Amino acid sequence: MFAVAACVAAFALFACDHYKAPASMRSAFYEKYPTAVDVEWEKKHGHAVAEFTMPGVGECEAWYTKGGVWLMTKFDIKYSDLPQAVRTAFEAAYGAQTPVDDVERLDRNTGETIYFIEATIVVNGYLTEIYLDYAPDGTLLRTAVDVEDYDNVYFYLP
């Protein structure tokens, strides 16, 4: 029983890609997000990523280069916080009654903002997850359907 518990603990430890960000990167992070709490650093796709919570906002991810340059931050937002043009485009394409599972905003260091909508639609009689990326003016940038472990953010890494 002890051996099984030790193996499970070891697997959990190695499955996580925890990262100790350099002090300069942590300092730059807290300068940008001084109210961040529950900050955990990881490495993803060769980048340093701070996963954190912003009081009054929710869960967020800030992405940095290995050298500590901020690239982008993803924020959980409410559907009602989307720009009207994005809501209008989504509802015109999928209907106002389409169940929306998740909405996020991505702020990039280029000044560009992208909005992500994850919704459930019916395709050929089956409930299907659809992932949509929109520009603030309602232009559809990307679409993915029923992709396992899909994360839109990877498409916007430099």
Side-chain angles (χ1 to χ4, degrees):
M1 189 65 136
F2 176 75
V4 171
C7 287
V8 169
F11 177 75
L13 179 65
F14 290 110
C16 297
D17 199 6
H18 291 286
Y19 171 66
K20 179 151 174 64
S24 60
M25 189 180 299
R26 291 192 316 265
S27 177
F29 168 80
Y30 281 110
E31 187 174 311
K32 189 167 188 63
Y33 302 107
T35 61
V37 295
D38 301 326
V39 180
E40 293 183 15
W41 288 88
E42 295 183 356
K43 277 191 162 182
K44 293 182 181 180
H45 292 271
H47 295 82
V49 180
E51 294 181 352
F52 60 102
T53 301
M54 290 281 290
V57 175
E59 296 179 17
C60 309
E61 286 183 356
W63 288 66
Y64 292 82
T65 65
K66 290 178 191 176
V69 175
W70 174 76
L71 296 172
M72 57 191 174
T73 302
K74 182 171 70 169
F75 300 90
D76 281 345
I77 64 171
K78 298 176 194 164
Y79 183 80
S80 60
D81 292 336
L82 287 169
Q84 184 60 50
V86 174
R87 290 195 316 261
T88 298
F90 173 77
E91 291 171 10
Y94 298 99
Q97 301 305 314
T98 299
V100 173
D101 302 321
D102 194 27
V103 180
E104 298 169 323
R105 183 185 82 227
L106 182 70
D107 294 343
R108 299 180 72 200
N109 66 356
T110 60
E112 178 183 33
T113 299
I114 300 164
Y115 295 93
F116 301 144
I117 298 175
E118 178 184 337
T120 303
I121 61 172
V122 177
V123 176
N124 296 326
Y126 296 96
L127 289 176
T128 304
E129 294 296 317
I130 188 165
Y131 306 90
L132 308 161
D133 303 0
Y134 286 95
D137 66 0
T139 301
L140 181 62
L141 302 172
R142 294 185 57 77
T143 302
V145 177
D146 205 24
V147 179
E148 188 73 26
D149 296 325
Y150 185 73
D151 193 345
N152 309 49
V153 76
Y154 298 126
F155 294 103
Y156 301 99
L157 288 170

